[in-house]
Amino acid sequence: MPLLVVGISVLVLLLLMTKLKLNGFAALLLVAVGVGLVRGIPLEKIPDVLSEGIGGQVGDTMLTIGLGAMVGRVMGDSGAAQRIAGKLLDAFGPRGVQVAMVVTSMLIGVTMFYEVAFIIIVPIAFTLVRVTGAKLLWVGLPMSIALSTMHSFLPPHPGPTAVAATFHASVGLTLFYGLFIAVPVGALIALVWPRLPFIRAMDPTIPQGLVSEQVFEDEEMPGLSWSLGVALFPVMLIAGAAVTDMATSGSGPFLHFVAFIGSAPIALLLTLLSAIWAFGPRMGRSLAEVSASCNSAAQAMAMILLVIGAGGAFKNVLVEGGISDYIKDQTQGWSISPIVLAWLIAVILRVALGSATVAVVTASGVVLPLLAGSGAHPEMMVLAVCCGSIAFSHVNDPGFWLFKEYFNLSVVEAIKVRTTYTTVLAVLGLGGVLAVEQALDVLSL
């Protein structure tokens, strides 16, 4: 049974990494090869499947993570991250640091991919940890939860936008309704989860090389306007491109240019160049000093990128092994509410494959024929599918490894933290979708 293969492969991976202490990159590749053999992928094709998975995942993330890490390190070594962190503390106070992270993450995360926003904000979270002495998860977890919610629930993120097209739903209405669900649900989990006893018992340290250890005096740091300007520069570029795409149709040189500079890699490259000048020669630092900061960030990212790439290989083997087709065939005849069915299929696919994109695309295709006669609002179908796609993030999800490595957690700890919060977000999200759907039905009477 295909799902049994998935379960056994996860258990073997956990055994290799926890009991045998095998490196995550090697363990993921070894398990991926085993799954490929069991699922009948021809022996000579397995290396290509692994390479495609690694290439697709690293190709999507390397530029974003690499450039983002360099921007963060340059800002950290210049004192810009400390300047922003200090102003957040002034505004919210030491007791309000979690609220500051939630508000900042939700504002930035509405239009930015999880990985991009994570890389931009995490240096500030690291600096807040160092300045306040708080635990890393106490500050960083609310950020990650808020970003996960925004990315998974709302357009213009790729999953919700693709599903909206499948269901012929209004992207604007999906965003409008989704905010009523995502903001309270995301904020609730972001503030509650770090307070749970099993989370508070963990005390990971900041990974070496990703943040400056220096504590700056006020006169040594750049001004707030420069610090915020560089930090928000990619946000403005990416958000501007997203809003322009939603508000306009057609094509032309100007729209192509906006899309170009608003793509995550180009936006972060332009930001890095701005950071090098603003926090280098402008402040009297040599380019050699700034380059040293970039080199340090790149070295710290090497193993993180390898593990994320191996996670992509594992995911690709599961997809190529026909597991998504098996789940699609098994669930097509289920007679339940289309909203619940859409959510449930997305959950099953997410657990089995780790890919939120595959989960939402497949789930929407299965339930699309049921939409016409169900009376369900297409926007609610979109949100149901997207809520399901966030559930049970675990070892076959490359995003799981990004979270694990940046918060310096063991595999078991990352499962306890990330797998649980993503699952609760999915369940509460479904409850919110059903509540909004009911409210819309009442208003339409």
Side-chain angles (χ1 to χ4, degrees):
M1 182 178 179
L3 293 182
L4 182 61
V5 173
V6 175
I8 292 174
S9 68
V10 171
L11 291 177
V12 170
L13 182 61
L14 292 176
L15 175 66
L16 290 174
M17 294 188 65
T18 57
K19 297 298 183 182
L20 302 182
K21 306 299 182 184
L22 188 62
N23 172 270
F25 177 70
L28 281 162
L29 290 181
L30 185 61
V31 172
V33 170
V35 171
L37 292 172
V38 172
R39 290 300 301 155
I41 297 176
L43 199 62
E44 69 276 9
K45 290 187 177 180
I46 290 179
D48 291 336
V49 173
L50 296 178
S51 297
E52 288 170 5
I54 292 174
Q57 189 62 49
V58 173
D60 289 341
T61 59
M62 183 177 70
L63 292 175
T64 297
I65 293 177
L67 290 169
M70 290 181 185
V71 171
R73 187 59 195 259
V74 170
M75 291 184 65
D77 287 348
S78 68
Q82 183 178 326
R83 174 70 75 186
I84 296 172
K87 289 301 179 182
L88 285 173
L89 283 176
D90 291 343
F92 291 90
R95 293 180 178 273
V97 65
Q98 290 180 318
V99 176
M101 284 288 95
V102 172
V103 171
T104 302
S105 300
M106 285 191 169
L107 289 174
I108 292 177
V110 168
T111 56
M112 296 188 73
F113 290 9
Y114 172 84
E115 293 85 354
V116 181
F118 186 101
I119 295 298
I120 290 174
I121 303 175
V122 78
I124 297 171
F126 286 163
T127 305
L128 283 170
V129 169
R130 185 168 52 78
V131 170
T132 64
K135 289 186 174 183
L136 177 56
L137 291 180
W138 185 259
V139 179
L141 189 53
M143 173 199 76
S144 181
I145 293 173
L147 291 177
S148 294
T149 309
M150 297 292 108
H151 178 88
S152 300
F153 285 22
L154 305 175
H157 296 293
T161 302
V163 179
T166 300
F167 289 129
H168 302 289
S170 164
V171 172
L173 282 177
T174 302
L175 175 60
F176 178 74
Y177 296 144
L179 285 170
F180 283 99
I181 302 169
V183 172
V185 167
L188 175 66
I189 301 302
L191 296 176
V192 168
W193 228 242
R195 290 169 166 77
L196 298 179
F198 72 94
I199 302 291
R200 300 193 71 167
M202 302 177 194
D203 191 17
T205 57
I206 297 172
Q208 293 294 318
L210 292 181
V211 67
S212 172
E213 299 295 332
Q214 182 179 354
V215 177
F216 295 87
E217 299 297 330
D218 187 74
E219 63 275 7
E220 297 176 313
M221 296 184 287
L224 180 63
S225 58
W226 278 103
S227 302
L228 276 179
V230 171
L232 294 178
F233 186 51
V235 179
M236 292 185 291
L237 291 178
I238 296 171
V243 171
T244 301
D245 183 61
M246 291 174 62
T248 59
S249 59
S251 62
F254 174 74
L255 295 179
H256 291 318
F257 176 74
V258 170
F260 170 71
I261 64 172
S263 63
I266 300 302
L268 286 170
L269 178 60
L270 294 174
T271 302
L272 177 60
L273 295 176
S274 301
I276 289 172
W277 178 79
F279 306 134
R282 197 189 67 85
M283 293 181 61
R285 298 175 69 213
S286 69
L287 288 177
E289 291 179 277
V290 183
S291 295
S293 297
C294 294
N295 293 339
S296 176
Q299 292 168 5
M301 291 305 304
M303 183 52 66
I304 294 176
L305 285 170
L306 283 175
V307 173
I308 292 172
F314 185 28
K315 176 193 72 177
N316 200 45
V317 167
L318 293 172
V319 174
E320 292 295 324
I323 292 173
S324 61
D325 293 333
Y326 170 82
I327 294 171
K328 181 178 178 179
D329 293 340
Q330 293 297 311
T331 55
Q332 277 184 326
W334 292 0
S335 298
I336 58 178
S337 161
I339 287 179
V340 176
L341 179 62
W343 179 87
L344 189 57
I345 295 173
V347 168
I348 296 172
L349 286 161
R350 167 70 161 183
V351 174
L353 303 175
S355 171
T357 302
V358 174
V360 297
V361 171
T362 305
S364 59
V366 171
V367 299
L368 179 61
L370 304 177
L371 179 60
S374 68
H377 293 80
E379 292 77 19
M380 294 299 102
M381 295 289 288
V382 174
L383 293 171
V385 169
C386 294
C387 289
S389 72
I390 194 177
F392 293 100
S393 171
H394 63 99
V395 294
N396 60 2
D397 173 18
F400 171 91
W401 297 101
L402 175 71
F403 177 88
K404 172 196 173 299
E405 296 296 324
Y406 261 89
F407 289 128
N408 215 6
L409 299 166
S410 70
V411 176
V412 173
E413 288 174 333
I415 288 174
K416 289 180 179 179
V417 180
R418 182 171 167 88
T419 306
T420 55
Y421 91 64
T422 54
T423 303
V424 173
L425 279 176
V427 173
L428 293 182
L430 174 63
V433 170
L434 293 172
V436 174
E437 173 73 8
Q438 185 65 37
L440 292 173
D441 289 341
V442 171
L443 292 173
S444 65
L445 292 178

